[in-house]
Amino acid sequence: MAQYVNNDEFSHWRCDKCNCELELKKVVVSYLEGSFPVDLPVCKNCGQVFIPESLAIHKMLEIEQQMEDK
Amino acid sequence: MDQQKLRMLESYCIQEEAPACTAACPLHVDARLMLRQLKENDVEGALKTYRKSVPLPSILSRICEAPCQKKCRLAEIGDGIDVRSMELFLDSQSDRSFLPTRLPLKNKKVAFLGSGLDVLTAAYDLRRKGYITQIYEPASSAGGFLRNFSETVLPFQIIDDTVSLLEKMGIEFHFSQPIGELLIQRKSDSGRFVIKEDEFICVYISDNQEIRTIDPITRMTEGNGIFGGSAGPEFWIEQAADGRRAAISMDRFIQNVSMTASRSDEGSYETRLFTSLASVSPSHSLIQNSQVTPDEETARKEAARCIQCTCMECAKGCEFIRHYEAYPRVYLRQVYNNISICTGLRQKNNMINSCSVCGQCESVCPNHLNFQDVIRETRQTMVETKKMPPSAFDFALRDMSFSNSDAFALAKSPEGQKVCSYVFFPGCQLPASNPSAVEKVYDLLQEKFSESTGLLLRCCGIIADWAGENGKFQQARNELLQEVKFLGNPELIVGCPGCMQTFRNFYPELKIRSLWTILDQMDISPKQHERVQTFAIHDPCGARYQTEDQDAVRSLAGKLGIQVEELPLNRDNTSCCTYGGNAWNANRSLSDAAVDALAAENCHDYLTYCAMCRDFFLKRGKNAYHLLDLFFEPDRIINAKPMPRPDYSMRHENRSRVKKHLLKKYWREEMNASEPYEKIRLFISEEVRELLEERMILLEDIQQVIDQTLETGNRMINTQTGHYLAHATPGHVTYWIEYLPKEDGFQIFSAYSHRMFIEEAN
Ligand code: SF4
Ligand code: SF4
Ligand SMILES: [Zn+2]
């Protein structure tokens, strides 16, 4: 399973709704015809996902572009 | 596009045709390559290129009549390249004992009677193909008429050396064989020819008076298996070429395959290659005496005169064609392969989506290859087969949806009139770029043109057509036609050249008229300045083939006291700013490079008559004006102060404001209430605003995320900065907004987005 986020990228973020820490957990992401699991930081309580900026603008963009050309 | 259409279109692009020199050379020496290699000091390479086509370099480099030089394009304006002298130089540098590669001998024999240039050439070719090759010559030495040359032109030594080289290749010479005494018999059973107890599959008889007919293509005589040539033709190089033709035929004869199939490209012909000499200055040959071998420096300098003939007309104005480093013939094949591929990566998607579909290449192409429609159709196929990358044109398509939504779209006859005779159609981007100009034009039209002029605000639909979204285009078209009908079928007064072109191409039922010709004919005297100001005029791609508009705009500029300079490619040949085809959306770096190249063509500020052209230039730091910017604010002409360029969010806001303002002013109506989230107040620094522009995130996207988080309470908090982070997916894109509440609104610190969908637990 792919892991794209390091601990220090989310250790200073908390879920504001639950006032709860985040932990890496398996989350399914999908685009076009494909979906796959990734480890992403989520709220331990409610499961709200956190995507850091660097992940969105680099790795995710790259994968999106690859999947678009399939 | 099927195979047949592909081939047909490919044949329009003549970039791969041989240059004039190669086409004129009966042996098709690749002189262009050879001269380039020589110029680049690659004597070895140049020699290889020469030898690849020429069988007997030491002889031919001395006596060839050089039809290439007469046909060289440079001969039209000065001296053609003296290619043969270059060959003479190359031969002087070569290892004369060099033996060409040969196939191993097969047990198949051919015979030649005579040993002139034609025979030596054919024997050379056939021995290389592995035939046992015998030459019977009545004289005591080989060469025939070649020995009539003076020693200064073709020394005997050169002929003798060549013959001994041929012998080393394995060709057998039999001298002092009076042809008349050679008894050639043909065996009735095998059809073989018997000469002096040896048997041959076919024979070649040089300069035989008795042979009357020789097929010019195959060199075969009336006798099956008997080939022939004349030893003293008008041109030596043609004689060598005849020998080569005969060798090809004899090989085919022995292999029992068609002797006539696909031979049209043998011998000299006229090339289809187009090469513009417009920017080539005449030059003169550096070779004083072409009988003397030039020294290396002279040879290189003469070679450097070659202009490396090529077409590439379409690349001159198109960054897209330059960027992918080929030309439409290659692109056609790539496009075809990309849509035919079943599995694997469609590597050319991005290329297909980066074309501006502006039609410049068709206009400048000597054969008018219509490449833009191939791209349009390909994009349609990609959409139909669900292979279009969703990110390619999404932003542009959403902009079109905005224009055709209540936020902007409007169709009104003047107050108190049910229908109207005319309706002003400013398009979608002029109201976004210069909203006040829309109002001023509308005032002017009502006052000076016709009181019965209504207002129609929306997008013509071209964005959907560019994106390959035929369904969306048809919908936009139908809606527009519906509105026009509702207004009583008025004539449209169109300000945007792109819309104008779209109406001409796809709305045959509409009556349309150009704003520019109306303004030009109006009796108005725009403010004149003492000083005449110079601008370079950039025709938008939508104005291609619209001569009347092109003229009207120039005439209007003159009345404003503007002197226009023309760009190298203008009017029908003009370049696109890359708004066309939504290319800017699919490939932003290419778009920037294209605008930069275009902006660098003239140092003056640019004057144009398309709002997007103006804003694309401004974005890349080039001062540019829409003609209406100057028409209504002539002070800008001498102040050299362009209007500010609105960012993407501002383009939406301006459009809505135009609608709101004009509704109130002319019809005393209030605009329908907008979405509640639009009331959310945002505080955004200049820096963050630029980031949003770069990432194509609109204020309304941010408002929607905040609106949603206010409702659900879902958000993260940064324990170091205290900033909140919320996300939402209002459409196909998920937006993440970092913010803090401020006063009665929110301060935005950052925003980013992705298209991938996160399956969240809650
Ligand atoms: S202009 Fe372009 S498309 Fe036309 S023949 Fe030349 S290289 Fe080919
Ligand atoms: S300029 Fe060069 S490529 Fe063109 S015809 Fe002359 S020798 Fe050939
Ligand atoms: Zn939570």
Side-chain angles (χ1 to χ4, degrees):
Chain A
M1 194 188 315
Q3 188 199 314
Y4 296 130
V5 187
N6 295 327
N7 224 54
D8 53 351
E9 280 176 280
F10 66 88
S11 53
H12 53 293
W13 286 94
R14 296 171 73 86
C15 175
D16 186 57
K17 193 180 184 181
C18 315
N19 193 14
C20 189
E21 286 183 356
L22 311 183
E23 64 178 356
L24 282 179
K25 233 178 135 180
K26 188 181 99 175
V27 175
V28 175
V29 299
S30 58
Y31 190 50
L32 303 174
E33 319 281 65
S35 69
F36 51 93
V38 255
D39 272 347
L40 288 176
V42 301
C43 169
K44 281 182 177 170
N45 181 44
C46 71
Q48 198 187 153
V49 175
F50 168 66
I51 306 256
E53 175 162 345
S54 65
L55 177 62
I57 64 172
H58 296 125
K59 192 71 199 172
M60 281 173 90
L61 182 66
E62 193 183 301
I63 299 174
E64 282 167 13
Q65 283 169 349
Q66 274 170 14
M67 294 178 77
E68 287 190 340
D69 287 342
K70 278 222 181 95
Chain B
M1 180 165 62
D2 54 19
Q3 280 271 359
Q4 202 185 343
K5 183 163 177 213
L6 171 71
R7 293 236 180 75
M8 197 266 288
L9 289 170
E10 278 180 326
S11 74
Y12 278 70
C13 175
I14 39 79
Q15 168 62 13
E16 287 175 12
E17 299 293 316
C21 48
T22 301
C25 169
L27 297 179
H28 303 323
V29 170
D30 190 348
R32 182 175 59 185
L33 173 64
M34 185 176 84
L35 295 172
R36 190 176 74 218
Q37 289 166 322
L38 194 51
K39 174 188 158 192
E40 289 166 0
N41 258 332
D42 178 11
V43 174
E44 195 66 25
L47 199 53
K48 227 177 180 169
T49 305
Y50 179 44
R51 277 201 165 126
K52 196 170 163 219
S53 307
V54 170
L56 312 165
S58 301
I59 294 178
L60 282 169
S61 64
R62 286 176 167 76
I63 62 168
C64 175
E65 291 83 359
C68 55
Q69 188 176 1
K70 285 179 210 99
K71 283 286 182 178
C72 171
R73 297 299 313 280
L74 290 177
E76 293 167 33
I77 52 171
D79 291 340
I81 303 283
D82 189 341
V83 180
R84 195 192 51 74
S85 289
M86 307 299 96
E87 296 168 350
L88 196 53
F89 165 75
L90 288 173
D91 185 63
S92 76
Q93 303 294 302
S94 74
D95 165 15
R96 294 238 175 87
S97 61
F98 171 85
L99 288 181
T101 53
R102 305 166 299 285
L103 289 179
L105 284 178
K106 11 186 179 214
N107 192 19
K108 288 185 174 150
K109 292 186 185 173
V110 291
F112 292 87
L113 307 192
S115 65
L117 183 57
D118 54 338
V119 167
L120 299 182
T121 304
Y124 170 95
D125 283 355
L126 287 171
R127 171 60 198 95
R128 291 194 64 192
K129 290 200 157 96
Y131 292 105
I132 299 172
T133 310
Q134 311 254 4
I135 294 177
Y136 298 89
E137 166 59 49
S140 57
S141 61
F145 288 111
L146 283 175
R147 296 203 180 254
N148 292 357
F149 277 103
S150 75
E151 271 293 302
T152 47
V153 178
L154 181 62
F156 278 9
Q157 192 58 50
I158 293 282
I159 304 175
D160 293 340
D161 288 351
T162 301
V163 169
S164 66
L165 208 66
L166 293 174
E167 282 177 321
K168 282 201 193 100
M169 282 172 67
I171 297 170
E172 290 172 40
F173 287 84
H174 308 272
F175 295 115
S176 310
Q177 307 281 332
I179 303 268
E181 289 169 25
L182 286 178
L183 262 185
I184 305 183
Q185 285 170 353
R186 195 157 192 182
K187 283 188 149 181
S188 54
D189 51 348
S190 62
R192 303 237 158 154
F193 300 90
V194 183
I195 303 174
K196 292 199 148 187
E197 283 120 49
D198 238 343
E199 283 188 21
F200 300 92
I201 310 179
C202 51
V203 295
Y204 180 100
I205 305 172
S206 186
D207 200 23
N208 189 323
Q209 310 301 324
E210 279 149 46
I211 300 174
R212 259 161 291 148
T213 43
I214 297 178
D215 184 304
I217 308 276
T218 64
R219 310 303 304 172
M220 188 152 95
T221 66
E222 288 154 324
N224 197 23
I226 305 173
F227 297 79
S230 68
E234 232 176 306
F235 294 115
W236 289 101
I237 187 67
E238 291 289 356
Q239 195 185 352
D242 282 351
R244 174 149 290 169
R245 274 182 194 280
I248 292 170
S249 304
M250 289 160 83
D251 179 42
R252 292 191 185 189
F253 178 84
I254 297 167
Q255 298 201 44
N256 206 7
V257 293
S258 165
M259 294 214 285
T260 49
S262 58
R263 303 196 65 161
S264 53
D265 54 357
E266 288 171 25
S268 4
Y269 61 90
E270 288 286 336
T271 182
R272 289 168 64 226
L273 181 68
F274 173 88
T275 302
S276 166
L277 298 179
S279 52
V280 179
S281 32
S283 60
H284 294 284
S285 178
L286 299 155
I287 308 296
Q288 314 285 340
N289 179 352
S290 60
Q291 295 309 336
V292 178
T293 306
D295 61 53
E296 185 162 353
E297 201 195 317
T298 313
R300 200 173 316 125
K301 280 192 180 152
E302 175 73 356
R305 284 206 305 127
C306 168
I307 55 166
Q308 295 289 308
C309 288
T310 175
C311 176
M312 293 308 268
E313 285 298 300
C314 51
K316 291 181 181 164
C318 176
E319 188 67 26
F320 163 79
I321 290 184
R322 291 193 293 264
H323 177 80
Y324 292 96
E325 293 180 334
Y327 37 87
R329 195 183 165 93
V330 174
Y331 299 149
L332 283 166
R333 171 87 31 192
Q334 290 174 343
V335 167
Y336 176 80
N337 289 342
N338 200 74
I339 41 172
S340 316
I341 178 175
C342 296
T343 52
L345 280 189
R346 262 161 264 272
Q347 288 173 335
K348 298 296 169 193
N349 279 352
N350 196 242
M351 184 267 263
I352 293 165
N353 292 334
S354 300
C355 164
S356 291
V357 202
C358 74
Q360 182 190 42
C361 57
E362 181 188 20
S363 172
V364 300
C365 171
N367 289 322
H368 302 296
L369 166 61
N370 181 334
F371 184 61
Q372 68 275 14
D373 278 346
V374 173
I375 295 287
R376 279 183 59 240
E377 283 161 26
T378 303
R379 290 182 189 174
Q380 282 173 13
T381 310
M382 286 163 72
V383 170
E384 279 158 22
T385 55
K386 303 208 163 29
K387 299 295 181 202
M388 177 58 86
S391 66
F393 305 127
D394 188 43
F395 195 80
L397 286 165
R398 280 194 281 155
D399 195 59
M400 175 175 139
S401 305
F402 175 86
S403 293
N404 289 346
S405 74
D406 279 344
F408 177 62
L410 177 84
K412 284 277 188 192
S413 290
E415 198 182 18
Q417 301 178 24
K418 259 196 85 190
V419 294
C420 49
S421 321
Y422 300 96
V423 66
F424 176 41
F425 186 88
C428 59
Q429 299 301 345
L430 179 65
S433 291
N434 186 346
S436 77
V438 174
E439 179 183 350
K440 287 175 187 150
V441 170
Y442 191 45
D443 275 343
L444 199 60
L445 287 173
Q446 288 204 318
E447 185 194 328
K448 297 226 174 199
F449 183 69
S450 161
E451 278 180 5
S452 183
T453 303
L455 186 64
L456 182 57
L457 301 179
R458 57 171 44 249
C459 164
C460 66
I462 194 62
I463 291 174
D465 181 74
W466 286 336
E469 298 277 358
N470 196 35
K472 288 192 179 132
F473 173 70
Q474 291 305 335
Q475 192 193 335
R477 183 178 178 280
N478 289 337
E479 283 172 11
L480 191 144
L481 290 175
Q482 224 27 64
E483 302 279 44
V484 174
K485 199 170 152 202
F486 164 78
L487 295 173
N489 292 315
E491 185 167 350
L492 270 67
I493 299 172
V494 185
C496 165
C499 300
M500 194 75 177
Q501 193 184 52
T502 309
F503 292 146
R504 290 220 164 104
N505 290 345
F506 303 114
Y507 292 74
E509 56 276 80
L510 283 184
K511 290 174 283 177
I512 45 174
R513 200 189 268 227
S514 148
L515 173 66
W516 306 113
T517 50
I518 292 177
L519 290 182
D520 190 34
Q521 282 155 15
M522 250 180 212
D523 162 36
I524 34 172
S525 42
K527 192 175 153 198
Q528 290 278 354
H529 301 275
E530 320 279 292
R531 198 146 45 96
V532 174
Q533 202 66 22
T534 305
F535 291 79
I537 189 159
H538 167 71
D539 294 292
C541 63
R544 198 182 309 290
Y545 308 129
Q546 319 287 340
T547 315
E548 272 188 20
D549 292 355
Q550 298 163 5
D551 290 342
V553 162
R554 284 163 172 80
S555 153
L556 274 168
K559 290 180 194 166
L560 286 170
I562 293 171
Q563 183 175 336
V564 296
E565 262 181 29
E566 298 290 338
L567 293 178
L569 289 165
N570 61 355
R571 293 182 174 258
D572 295 355
N573 292 341
T574 190
S575 308
C576 175
C577 69
T578 69
Y579 181 66
N582 305 325
W584 63 278
N585 193 173
N587 193 337
R588 278 196 285 163
S589 58
L590 179 64
S591 163
D592 288 347
V595 178
D596 290 348
L598 199 49
E601 283 182 352
N602 191 300
C603 60
H604 291 292
D605 289 358
Y606 282 9
L607 172 64
T608 186
Y609 41 114
C610 163
M612 288 320 287
C613 292
R614 183 199 85 176
D615 288 337
F616 274 50
F617 285 125
L618 288 177
K619 187 173 180 203
R620 299 302 295 170
K622 175 82 182 180
N623 274 0
Y625 305 80
H626 190 283
L627 183 57
L628 292 177
D629 302 350
L630 304 178
F631 189 84
F632 293 115
E633 296 176 55
D635 283 352
R636 292 188 186 275
I637 298 174
I638 36 175
N639 296 346
K641 224 174 155 245
M643 296 189 69
R645 179 187 72 92
D647 63 14
Y648 296 127
S649 293
M650 200 64 195
R651 305 192 80 83
H652 278 201
E653 209 171 314
N654 281 344
R655 270 173 276 182
S656 282
R657 279 202 199 138
V658 164
K659 175 176 176 177
K660 193 172 172 184
H661 177 67
L662 297 187
L663 255 183
K664 202 168 200 169
K665 177 169 171 188
Y666 295 102
W667 292 276
R668 281 166 287 160
E669 283 178 27
E670 287 298 330
M671 196 162 145
N672 288 342
S674 46
E675 301 287 345
Y677 61 75
E678 285 174 30
K679 301 216 165 61
I680 295 177
R681 191 160 167 220
L682 302 177
F683 297 88
I684 305 178
S685 69
E686 206 39 53
E687 215 183 332
V688 173
R689 189 119 195 173
E690 268 166 36
L691 182 84
L692 298 178
E693 177 79 348
E694 166 70 28
R695 295 185 175 171
M696 301 216 237
I697 297 172
L698 302 174
L699 301 190
E700 60 211 62
D701 300 327
I702 297 177
Q703 287 167 326
Q704 286 183 72
V705 175
I706 292 184
D707 186 50
Q708 193 167 322
T709 185
L710 289 178
E711 204 165 290
T712 62
N714 282 345
R715 61 186 182 186
M716 301 277 168
I717 182 163
N718 186 319
T719 53
Q720 290 162 358
T721 61
H723 293 176
Y724 294 118
L725 181 74
H727 70 282
T729 314
H732 298 291
V733 179
T734 302
Y735 297 97
W736 296 77
I737 312 298
E738 192 180 327
Y739 69 97
L740 271 182
K742 179 178 173 181
E743 297 167 26
D744 56 342
F746 300 89
Q747 167 132 34
I748 308 304
F749 298 100
S750 181
Y752 50 96
S753 69
H754 55 80
R755 312 182 72 87
M756 220 178 258
F757 185 72
I758 316 282
E759 295 177 10
E760 275 176 287
N762 50 9

